[in-house]
Amino acid sequence: MTERPMSARRHAVVVGGGLAGITAALRLAEAGQQVTLLETRPRLGGLAFSFKRGELTVDNGQHVFLRCCTAYRGLIDRLCAGRLVDLQPRLDVPVLGLGADGRRTFGRLGRDALPVPLHLTRSLAGYPHLGPADRLRVVRAALALQRLDLADPALDEISFGDWLRRHGQTPATLAALWDLVGVATLNATADRTSLALAAMVFKTGLLSDPGASDIGMAAVPLGEIHHDAALAELERLGVRVLLRSRAAELKPAAQHGVRLESGELLTADTVVLAGAQDSAAALLPPGAVPGQERLAELGTSPILNVHVIYDRRLLRRPFFAALGSPVQWVFDRTAHSGLAVPGAQYLALSQSDAGDEIDLPVAELRARYLPELERLIPGARQAKVLDFFVTRERTATFDPAPGTAALRPQAATDVPGLLLAGSWTATGWPATMEGAVRSGHAAADAALAGAGRIPVDRGDGRWPR
């Protein structure tokens, strides 16, 4: 698991305690470096964290991973946290549709133990939210996606929506399949998404291996994994973890200087800027990254989470997706929230690409979503709402628009010993937990190589042994 110790003990500072920073710090510490990890918040985990609300332990948002997310799964294993996550034995997504007349239609997206693409055939053939002609259109587009070369830079100049329409897709197929999956994974609709990123998601998640799209999620609050388990392992390796510590200035030199807001000055041979895109860009010295002046063009996209506690159990499955409703995905969060009210249920709505709603008042969101839940779950009409609150991540992900690839920097900069990490860097993945972990590996690889640019793509992204 550990890498060969370096002949001289070097010091590294990792700025940012999200999944990218945790990964980079662990890798550098394993290699024998003296590592300091800085995080402005009082906890690790970045944008995948938990907090207390009275008796409840609340995840800031619903974070899932797929079986194909081998780098994130590798981090989970490295933290000895495999027992803290659940992974479906086989893809199964309940999809509840609402017609214009209010009629509810229930279907499922799943897969069989057959070779790609036959593994999806039976599920698609019985998918009630699409007619026979549209199902055939989906198959044709999927086969065309399979033939795309993800290394072709021209894909990044095209919107996924335009490509889908050129391949016979209709508003029905976009809503019932392509955007159902794409908005949740890319945080943007097909019309606002780079074909390169969308093709990567669908080819890897649905068309690479029969089990690639099986869904996993934490079985405990995210903080138990991304803070508790990560902090314990970092400290076991001797990493100095400074929470509530903000890097105010970076002074590049033969030995870099990182000045904290507290006034403390840290010196390091290696600095990894593993924070959000805006905070990392603010610390970069001039000329550190090709096209650095354009980093601000890499926009952001928000995610809204609506949390509702009912006085009774309404949902018998762990989650479902919705069609024909503003509601996107609904998750049962009761089991690991610490909810102490007997018989009550805690549901969380995950609303991606939420630019039109992210700043709406709670009262307005309540008036919008409670009636929708009653339409989707008729039992909610007789239930009492015990609590209603929202969590907002205004800059949850980078904006995956066409042209994004040219704005995402590599891990290695033009300043020796200065590296970048974060899901917004050039991982080839969208802004996911998987992309964040892969970026941490890329930064560690570049630091340990000592010089020069190395490929960011680590293949399957598993932890090196």
Side-chain angles (χ1 to χ4, degrees):
M1 181 177 296
T2 58
E3 294 172 284
R4 181 182 301 174
M6 306 178 80
S7 56
R9 188 162 171 79
R10 297 168 62 85
H11 187 198
V13 172
V14 178
V15 182
L19 301 185
I22 290 168
T23 301
L26 285 172
R27 288 282 314 284
L28 294 175
E30 286 177 348
Q33 297 199 18
Q34 181 181 347
V35 181
T36 300
L37 175 62
L38 308 176
E39 171 52 53
T40 59
R41 300 177 180 88
R43 42 82 189 157
L44 301 175
L47 294 181
F49 67 94
S50 305
F51 63 93
K52 296 293 289 187
R53 177 185 167 88
E55 67 177 18
L56 290 179
T57 302
V58 178
D59 287 347
N60 70 312
Q62 180 61 54
H63 296 264
V64 304
F65 61 94
L66 304 181
R67 192 180 296 277
C68 64
C69 294
T70 49
Y72 177 71
R73 291 172 56 211
L75 175 62
I76 294 298
D77 290 343
R78 177 63 185 81
L79 298 177
C80 302
R83 60 186 173 80
L84 304 182
V85 300
D86 291 327
L87 181 60
Q88 290 180 332
R90 189 170 294 179
L91 174 69
D92 182 19
V93 179
V95 183
L96 181 59
L98 285 177
D101 58 358
R103 186 171 60 91
R104 299 161 72 245
T105 304
F106 183 79
R108 310 187 89 93
L109 288 172
R111 59 105 175 168
D112 292 316
L114 295 172
V116 173
L118 298 177
H119 66 308
L120 301 174
T121 303
R122 184 165 65 93
S123 173
L124 189 59
Y127 191 52
H129 306 301
L130 290 175
D134 277 334
R135 294 172 197 161
L136 184 58
R137 291 185 179 98
V138 166
V139 171
R140 288 172 177 166
L143 293 175
L145 267 176
Q146 244 186 339
R147 294 191 293 269
L148 291 178
D149 179 5
L150 296 182
D152 182 357
L155 301 187
D156 188 54
E157 303 303 320
I158 306 167
S159 87
F160 187 39
D162 285 344
W163 184 91
L164 287 171
R165 281 184 287 272
R166 288 205 301 266
H167 286 79
Q169 301 309 288
T170 65
T173 62
L174 262 72
L177 182 68
W178 302 113
D179 273 344
L180 179 76
V181 175
V183 170
T185 53
L186 294 153
N187 202 21
T189 61
D191 283 330
R192 292 183 41 247
T193 299
S194 158
L195 173 59
L197 279 172
M200 184 272 158
V201 165
F202 282 95
K203 285 190 71 169
T204 304
L206 289 176
L207 302 171
S208 63
D209 180 85
S213 57
D214 300 340
I215 294 174
M217 63 186 75
V220 297
L222 287 171
E224 290 191 24
I225 303 172
H226 299 159
H227 176 78
D228 297 348
L231 181 61
E233 187 58 20
L234 288 163
E235 291 183 337
R236 188 187 72 80
L237 289 178
V239 176
R240 182 189 181 201
V241 178
L242 300 180
L243 302 176
R244 297 185 176 90
S245 298
R246 184 183 299 274
E249 184 182 9
L250 172 63
K251 299 179 178 181
Q255 264 211 328
H256 300 294
V258 180
R259 183 176 61 81
L260 309 186
E261 281 190 344
S262 65
E264 182 179 358
L265 182 66
L266 305 175
T267 58
D269 305 284
T270 299
V271 174
V272 180
L273 299 181
Q277 58 207 61
D278 56 346
S279 60
L283 291 171
L284 279 175
V289 174
Q292 186 169 326
E293 68 284 354
R294 298 190 61 202
L295 284 179
E297 297 176 29
L298 186 61
T300 59
S301 186
I303 295 177
L304 174 75
N305 283 269
V306 176
H307 308 258
V308 189
I309 298 177
Y310 289 100
D311 67 346
R312 65 196 68 181
R313 185 172 180 82
L314 301 173
L315 189 63
R316 301 292 176 182
R317 53 182 63 92
F319 66 89
F320 70 87
L323 294 174
S325 167
V327 173
Q328 295 176 13
W329 293 74
V330 179
F331 294 85
D332 179 4
R333 307 289 299 162
T334 310
H336 61 273
S337 67
L339 181 63
V341 181
Q345 188 170 39
Y346 170 13
L347 301 181
L349 284 61
S350 182
Q351 302 293 117
S352 299
D353 192 26
D356 293 338
E357 297 181 317
I358 194 65
D359 291 316
L360 292 181
V362 172
E364 191 169 338
L365 293 168
R366 182 185 179 109
R368 178 178 178 85
Y369 282 106
L370 289 182
E372 286 298 321
L373 284 171
E374 292 177 3
R375 294 176 67 211
L376 290 163
I377 312 172
R381 296 167 189 164
Q382 289 76 46
K384 180 180 179 181
V385 176
L386 302 180
D387 197 6
F388 182 101
F389 60 100
V390 300
T391 51
R392 313 173 199 255
E393 293 295 344
R394 291 175 174 82
T395 58
T397 68
F398 67 83
D399 183 355
T404 295
L407 304 175
R408 299 174 70 184
Q410 300 289 327
T413 74
D414 290 338
V415 178
L418 178 60
L419 295 312
L420 295 175
S423 62
W424 57 279
T425 60
T427 65
W429 283 69
T432 57
M433 297 189 295
E434 176 74 6
V437 175
R438 284 178 180 254
S439 77
H441 281 305
D445 286 342
L448 297 176
R453 298 183 182 274
I454 62 172
V456 171
D457 186 0
R458 294 183 51 80
D460 67 4
R462 296 185 190 277
W463 206 273
R465 296 183 181 274

